[in-house]
Amino acid sequence: LIVSAMATALDQEMLCVHLLEAGDDGTSALRRSAAVGLPSPLLDVNGWLPLGVDGGAAGLAAARADAMVVEDLSTYPAPAPYRQAAALSGIRSEWAAPIVGGQGVLGTVSGFAGALSRPEPAQLELARLYLGYAASAIERERLLSEVSRRNRVLESLRAMLETLAG
């Protein structure tokens, strides 16, 4: 809901949300959790993005905890499959801004354009407002999940104690 409202408010046809997740090997990467209007080739290459340059604007925004703009993807040093997918999709530029919560970077939101362009400062400021809402929703959902998990453990312990008590 927040991403759809953000796309409308920014007049951005293509948006993508990635959340930061730890892998089995202890490294962190960005997992796509929502997308609006992205063509198939681009969806195929951005399911998981590494942090840093290899992750495009989203990878850099997460690594640096700051908004990043790539005005020309054809000259950006991203991996060839990423640049090729962007070209096949007609994407020429992208921007990304981090979703920052109380514990640091939670993920990123990326916007894509078919022209060589740069978002206006007012658009990035509006995006930051929506990113604050997104951070609150993500943290609230994680807190609810943790409380629910702990509640299930306590309910199991209570049931076991009742059984032992007889």
Side-chain angles (χ1 to χ4, degrees):
L1 185 62
I2 293 170
V3 175
S4 294
M6 184 176 178
T8 302
L10 296 174
D11 195 24
Q12 183 79 49
E13 294 179 10
M14 296 177 274
L15 279 181
C16 189
V17 177
H18 287 89
L19 296 180
L20 192 63
E21 291 189 4
D24 295 335
D25 60 357
T27 61
S28 295
L30 295 166
R31 179 186 56 83
R32 185 184 66 239
S33 62
V36 175
L38 261 66
S40 277
L42 201 55
L43 283 173
D44 294 341
V45 297
N46 76 8
W48 285 92
L49 296 175
L51 299 181
V53 173
D54 289 345
L60 276 175
R64 296 182 181 173
D66 195 14
M68 300 304 300
V69 176
V70 177
E71 291 184 53
D72 186 357
L73 279 169
S74 66
T75 62
Y76 184 73
Y82 189 88
R83 287 196 325 265
Q84 290 167 352
L88 283 171
S89 301
I91 304 298
R92 309 239 1 239
S93 62
E94 83 175 280
W95 61 268
I99 302 169
V100 181
Q103 302 297 319
V105 175
L106 301 171
T108 62
V109 171
S110 305
F112 302 88
L116 298 177
S117 65
R118 176 176 201 85
E120 296 293 324
Q123 284 180 299
L124 287 177
E125 194 57 38
L126 184 58
R128 285 186 181 98
L129 176 69
Y130 279 96
L131 294 173
Y133 294 142
S136 294
I138 292 165
E139 287 181 329
R140 186 173 44 249
E141 181 64 30
R142 288 181 178 172
L143 180 60
L144 180 61
S145 294
E146 179 63 18
V147 167
S148 296
R149 185 191 66 77
R150 289 181 183 196
N151 190 45
R152 285 190 301 274
V153 169
L154 289 173
E155 287 296 323
S156 297
L157 288 172
R158 184 186 59 77
M160 189 175 10
L161 287 173
E162 284 179 356
T163 302
L164 290 172

